[in-house]
Amino acid sequence: MIDVDAVARGLSSAISPGGHCSQRVAARVWRVGAVPWQGVSREVFLARGLGWPDGGDIIPPIGGNGRAIVFVTGMAPPTQAWPELPPTVVQLSNTVQLQGGSITIALADICAMLQDTDAANEAVCAVPRTPRARNRQLRRNIRAELRSFVQDEEIRDAYLVHGDVRSTAKALGISKDKVSGGAPA
């Protein structure tokens, strides 16, 4: 019989020496650490039995933001099993080895899987990876939406106040081309 708790502790040590391992679902899900990846901290889990009939019950503690790394002891569940964006699911047997009593991880393989999962998740839901990038994208979207509400009359009125295309465009936060199309002749 395999001591999955010992595997979880060994995986936690391989990820972060001195790291902390905690059980999230009794004998089924362990949080084994976190790793930085492209400016974002990724939580790392070990899950057992995701393919079992009650496997869907243990998915919520893992989360659905698509940024977790989940090592599984058996077969990976289908992508549709995740209620939101699927995490990077890594089969333990393909990427982890026991050498001299300690666990080693095939990092290059996991990095490739992370890139594939991120690309697939971004194709479904274009969510920037870092909080800074998310905020920048949100500001761009808001500005674009506000610009679409500027009417030609407002452009003409602003042009009369500012006197030239460049100043009007800057004041309204729109392109000079849009001002040129709406400015009085």
Side-chain angles (χ1 to χ4, degrees):
M1 187 106 155
I2 296 174
D3 184 354
V4 185
D5 284 321
V7 173
R9 288 190 303 273
L11 195 55
S12 179
S13 293
I15 290 169
S16 172
H20 180 68
C21 176
S22 62
Q23 206 171 101
R24 294 287 172 95
V25 177
R28 300 286 295 276
V29 177
W30 295 260
R31 182 185 182 281
V32 295
V35 294
W37 175 258
Q38 296 182 343
V40 177
S41 179
R42 305 286 182 114
E43 285 192 294
V44 183
F45 296 92
L46 172 63
R48 180 174 168 254
L50 284 176
W52 297 352
D54 67 343
D57 297 340
I58 64 172
I59 287 177
I62 296 169
N65 66 3
R67 291 195 169 65
I69 301 168
V70 182
F71 286 92
V72 293
T73 58
M75 295 300 294
T79 303
Q80 303 86 325
W82 302 95
E84 296 175 46
L85 296 174
T88 299
V89 179
V90 180
Q91 284 187 299
L92 204 61
S93 60
N94 294 339
T95 55
V96 174
Q97 293 182 351
L98 185 61
Q99 291 180 338
S102 61
I103 290 179
T104 59
I105 301 171
L107 293 176
D109 294 341
I110 294 171
C111 289
M113 289 182 215
L114 277 165
Q115 289 174 333
D116 292 345
T117 302
D118 285 351
N121 285 345
E122 286 178 14
V124 172
C125 175
V127 178
R129 292 186 186 117
T130 65
R132 186 176 185 185
R134 276 194 305 272
N135 290 340
R136 195 171 37 244
Q137 182 66 43
L138 181 61
R139 282 192 299 272
R140 266 189 245 130
N141 292 348
I142 290 170
R143 272 191 230 112
E145 189 66 26
L146 290 174
R147 279 186 215 117
S148 71
F149 289 114
V150 176
Q151 301 297 320
D152 286 343
E153 307 133 14
E154 294 169 336
I155 295 171
R156 280 192 285 277
D157 293 344
Y159 184 84
L160 293 173
V161 170
H162 296 285
D164 66 27
V165 172
R166 180 170 290 165
S167 298
T168 303
K170 186 175 181 182
L172 294 175
I174 59 176
S175 72
K176 293 184 287 183
D177 294 334
K178 188 160 184 171
V179 173
S180 298

